[in-house]
Amino acid sequence: MASTTTQAYLESKPVVEAKALLTELCRQFYHLGWVGGTGGSITLKVHDDSIPKSQQLIIMSPSGVQKERMLAEDMYILASDGSIVSSPSPKPYPHKPPKCSDCGPLFMKAYQMRNAGAVIHSHGMESCLVTMMNPASKEFRITHMEMIKGIQGHGYYDELVVPIIENSAHERDLTDSLASAIEAYPKTTAVLVRNHGIYVWGDSWISAKTQAECYHYLFDAAIKLNQMGLDWSTPTHGPIKSVQGVSRGVENRSVSC
C-alpha cells in the first residue's frame, strides 16, 4: 500500500480528482442555498481501492470563504486521524488567511463513528426552520413520504427519525452532543442542529449528496404540511388534532416534529 502522505501521492490522480470534485459540489450546494454567506461546509475521502476506507485521506473545505468561488488549490488535505497533511497557500488581500473548516471536529466524528465516505454540513433554510416548529422536541419524525426511500435503511412505510441537538456559539462546541446523538441513534445518517442546520453523511459522496437532497425535501414538506394544518408525522397526514378541544398551534404542539 502506497504511503498517503508522500508528495507524490498528494499530487496523484485520486487526490487531484477528489479536490476538483469538492469544488464542484461546493458550487452546486451554494446554488441550492446550503452554503451561502460562507456558512456550511463539505468534506469527502479520497477514494482509492488500494487503501482501506478508514485510512484514506480526507479533503476538507476551508472555513469562512465563498464556497462558490473556491478552487481545488484552496482545499485542505487531512490524514485519517484528522491531522492536517497539506494546507492551501495564503491569497493576496482581501482574502482571509486560510483556516481549515470549523466543522472539522464534527466531520471527524462521522468518519470515526460511522466510517463515512463524505459529510455535508448544510445551512439550508428548511433544515433550520424544521427544528423551530417545536422548540421542545429533540427529534424530527416523518413517515409515509416517497422521498424517505432515499434515506439509507428506510422505506416508504418507515418512520424517519432525525435527532436534534441544541446550537452553540461556536461550531466546535457541538462536537460532544453530535457524537452523543450518533451513538444514541444508530440508524440515523444525519443530525439536526436547532436554529442552525444539519450534518449528513454517507458511504460515499454520492450517498451523502443524495440523502442531503432527500432530507431537505422532507423538511420542506413538513414545513408546508404544518402551514396547511396537516400532521406530517402520521401515516395519513390528516388535520392536526386538537388537545382537549383546543387547536394545537406551533406553540403548544405535543407531537414530535
Side-chain angles (χ1 to χ4, degrees):
M1 182 178 69
S3 172
T4 60
T5 58
T6 64
Q7 190 59 35
Y9 190 80
L10 295 181
E11 297 173 358
S12 67
K13 183 177 179 181
V15 176
V16 171
E17 289 180 343
K19 292 167 71 175
L21 172 61
L22 196 55
T23 63
E24 180 184 349
L25 293 175
C26 284
R27 286 192 293 272
Q28 290 181 12
F29 295 165
Y30 171 81
H31 291 293
L32 288 172
W34 295 0
V35 293
T38 78
S41 191
I42 313 166
T43 176
L44 54 83
K45 287 195 170 182
V46 176
H47 180 73
D48 187 334
D49 289 330
S50 68
I51 299 172
K53 191 175 182 180
S54 61
Q55 299 176 29
Q56 290 171 355
L57 290 177
I58 297 167
I59 308 298
M60 197 171 294
S61 60
S63 178
V65 300
Q66 304 291 329
K67 301 297 191 298
E68 78 280 14
R69 295 177 59 84
M70 287 196 306
L71 304 174
E73 64 194 42
D74 298 326
M75 301 300 173
Y76 279 83
I77 304 177
L78 280 65
S80 58
D81 63 359
S83 60
I84 296 175
V85 174
S86 176
S87 301
S89 300
K91 291 191 172 183
Y93 178 85
H95 293 278
K96 294 169 59 177
K99 178 186 175 184
C100 197
S101 176
D102 288 336
C103 306
L106 290 93
F107 288 149
M108 291 306 302
K109 290 299 181 182
Y111 284 132
Q112 295 164 356
M113 298 177 71
R114 291 297 175 84
N115 197 27
V119 192
I120 298 167
H121 175 43
S122 166
H123 283 192
M125 183 65 73
E126 308 94 327
S127 64
C128 180
L129 293 181
V130 80
T131 68
M132 302 166 70
M133 293 195 296
N134 183 353
S137 178
K138 301 298 184 183
E139 298 171 338
F140 167 81
R141 292 174 176 266
I142 194 168
T143 187
H144 285 64
M145 293 285 287
E146 180 67 14
M147 292 296 271
I148 292 176
K149 291 161 62 175
I151 306 301
Q152 182 179 319
H154 290 78
Y156 173 77
Y157 296 105
D158 293 328
E159 181 181 45
L160 174 67
V161 182
V162 185
I164 302 173
I165 62 175
E166 300 303 318
N167 195 27
S168 64
H170 302 287
E171 201 96 23
R172 62 182 178 274
D173 295 336
L174 296 169
T175 306
D176 290 343
S177 54
L178 180 132
S180 295
I182 292 175
E183 185 174 7
Y185 292 81
K187 195 175 180 180
T188 193
T189 56
V191 173
L192 282 158
V193 184
R194 198 178 316 277
N195 306 344
H196 184 150
I198 188 171
Y199 284 84
V200 182
W201 57 87
D203 295 336
S204 66
W205 70 267
I206 295 175
S207 173
K209 176 178 178 290
T210 299
Q211 291 185 90
E213 291 169 349
C214 293
Y215 279 119
H216 283 78
Y217 176 98
L218 293 166
F219 299 153
D220 188 37
I223 292 166
K224 290 176 178 175
L225 286 167
N226 178 62
Q227 292 170 338
M228 296 166 63
L230 302 178
D231 192 341
W232 60 93
S233 65
T234 62
T236 60
H237 302 146
I240 296 173
K241 297 179 181 179
S242 61
V243 177
Q244 296 181 346
V246 179
S247 178
R248 276 197 332 229
V250 173
E251 69 281 357
N252 62 1
R253 180 169 301 140
S254 60
V255 298
S256 297
C257 75

